[in-house]
Amino acid sequence: MTDRLPPLTALRAFDAAARHMSFALAAAELHVTPAALSFQIKSLEEHLGAPLFRRLNRAVELTEAGRALAPAASDGFQALAAGWRAAQRLQDHQTLTVTAGPAFTAKWLAPRLFDFAQSHPDIELRFSASLRIMDFNRDSIDVAIRFGLGPDPGLYSLPLADEWVVPVMTPEMARRFPTPQSLADAVLIVDESIDFLDPPIDWPTWFRAMAMDVIPNTGPRFSQGDHAIDAALAGVGVALGRRALVIKDLADGRLMAPYPKALPTGARFRFLCPEGTETRPQVLAFRTWILREIEKTAHIAQSIDLLDPPSK
């Protein structure tokens, strides 16, 4: 028994063959001949002193030793690949890959990207709009904008603006529903994307915080916040709009908050990147730009009064 590892090329051949369960397909992936791949696996078996595959008529299958080795070999090569990509990214000062949720991307980032592109023509900005929590190394991500409660261990985490929700509607609907009491007759759009918050931030909670005894006339329900805001923009009804998703429409006059009484969510968006990478030129430029863009609409946020959420 020895802890000395076998040659990396032999382990790579084994990993490919174990994934494909075919020497021919593994050889094609590695751009070697089947005979060369078979030689590498045979040398690995000799190093171990036990077979890793059973050679069948037209197939192969893993032995018990092969089944023990396969997951570790796969994880090892994936980790190596992720580390190599991370090292490569550190040498790249022209590309910035950002992930954010679809709603934030559609309503906050996308309308402002022309400004960033004009200010930083040397940076190629790439986006991955996804609710999946992506891995910075495995998915080659430089910056993540995430919404929630945190914490964010092992990451540089910069809290962005506090998030609240406020009733928003078109100017025409604002004339039809001039007071909070008039919302009893309005179609109230439901944004289910924040259902995870506790205590809940929804229409019944907003009415209770306003000391109003109202049974909400809830209308269409949306799993994505930007879809709820799009429905409000189309005049479908009134939405409880989240700050980040409505602030530009409020600034541009497409939506109004005629009674600016907002519920704090307790959650916020955070600017995240691996610790130590926050000073990379393109990451720093993007962070500075986001903070500057938030400041442009700070006057609207300052006109909103925050309600005290009712107790559970």
Side-chain angles (χ1 to χ4, degrees):
M1 283 290 200
T2 175
D3 289 335
R4 185 171 61 86
L5 289 175
L8 194 63
T9 52
L11 283 170
R12 187 168 178 80
F14 168 77
D15 173 59
R19 283 187 285 106
H20 290 291
M21 294 308 294
S22 164
F23 284 12
L25 293 176
E29 176 188 314
L30 300 179
H31 304 290
V32 299
T33 65
L37 183 123
S38 182
F39 175 80
Q40 290 291 345
I41 292 175
K42 184 173 178 57
S43 70
L44 187 63
E45 291 174 324
E46 290 175 353
H47 190 98
L48 177 66
L52 295 166
F53 290 96
R54 291 188 184 89
R55 279 73 166 173
L56 306 177
N57 208 7
R58 293 191 176 180
V60 293
E61 64 179 27
L62 290 168
T63 64
E64 185 177 6
R67 290 193 298 272
L69 178 60
S74 177
D75 291 346
F77 281 109
Q78 287 183 34
L80 277 172
W84 180 251
R85 289 193 299 269
Q88 286 181 312
R89 284 205 315 279
L90 292 175
Q91 315 314 311
D92 180 2
H93 302 303
Q94 279 73 49
T95 303
L96 184 71
T97 303
V98 177
T99 180
F104 186 82
T105 300
K107 290 298 182 184
W108 201 97
L109 283 172
R112 294 169 168 83
L113 286 184
F114 179 74
D115 177 82
F116 182 85
Q118 288 237 319
S119 303
H120 302 279
D122 54 321
I123 297 177
E124 179 187 347
L125 200 55
R126 299 176 182 176
F127 274 98
S128 177
S130 173
L131 291 175
R132 181 171 68 87
I133 302 299
M134 292 186 156
D135 181 270
F136 285 92
N137 285 334
R138 185 186 63 240
D139 298 310
S140 299
I141 298 296
D142 298 303
V143 170
I145 308 295
R146 292 178 184 159
F147 176 72
L149 304 172
D152 306 299
L155 298 176
Y156 170 84
S157 180
L158 175 67
L160 301 177
D162 290 330
E163 193 77 343
W164 36 251
V165 297
V166 69
V168 294
M169 61 200 81
T170 61
E172 189 276 330
M173 292 199 77
R175 291 189 289 271
R176 289 172 53 197
F177 303 104
T179 66
Q181 290 74 19
S182 64
L183 285 183
D185 300 319
V187 174
L188 303 178
I189 298 166
V190 177
D191 173 10
E192 295 181 329
S193 70
I194 54 175
D195 281 356
F196 69 93
L197 295 173
D198 185 22
I201 303 297
D202 53 19
W203 280 112
T205 307
W206 187 84
F207 282 119
R208 288 198 305 274
M210 291 286 289
M212 294 171 56
D213 186 16
V214 173
I215 299 176
N217 175 30
T218 54
R221 311 177 74 88
F222 294 93
S223 62
Q224 297 292 333
D226 56 324
H227 297 169
I229 302 309
D230 286 342
L233 284 164
V236 171
V238 181
L240 270 181
R242 289 161 49 189
R243 170 182 174 149
L245 307 190
V246 300
I247 200 82
K248 190 169 191 340
D249 288 321
L250 291 173
D252 295 342
R254 289 187 293 270
L255 289 176
M256 296 183 66
Y259 11 95
K261 304 293 185 180
L263 276 176
T265 66
R268 56 171 51 184
F269 285 96
R270 292 103 63 218
F271 178 103
L272 305 174
C273 62
E275 285 183 341
T277 67
E278 65 272 13
T279 57
R280 291 178 62 206
Q282 66 269 53
V283 174
L284 181 59
F286 191 65
R287 183 187 67 183
T288 302
W289 172 78
I290 280 186
L291 294 176
R292 188 175 68 244
E293 288 298 311
I294 291 173
E295 188 59 31
K296 286 180 181 179
T297 53
H299 64 286
I300 295 175
Q302 290 164 2
S303 69
I304 302 291
D305 295 325
L306 295 183
L307 296 165
D308 292 324
S311 57
K312 292 185 183 181

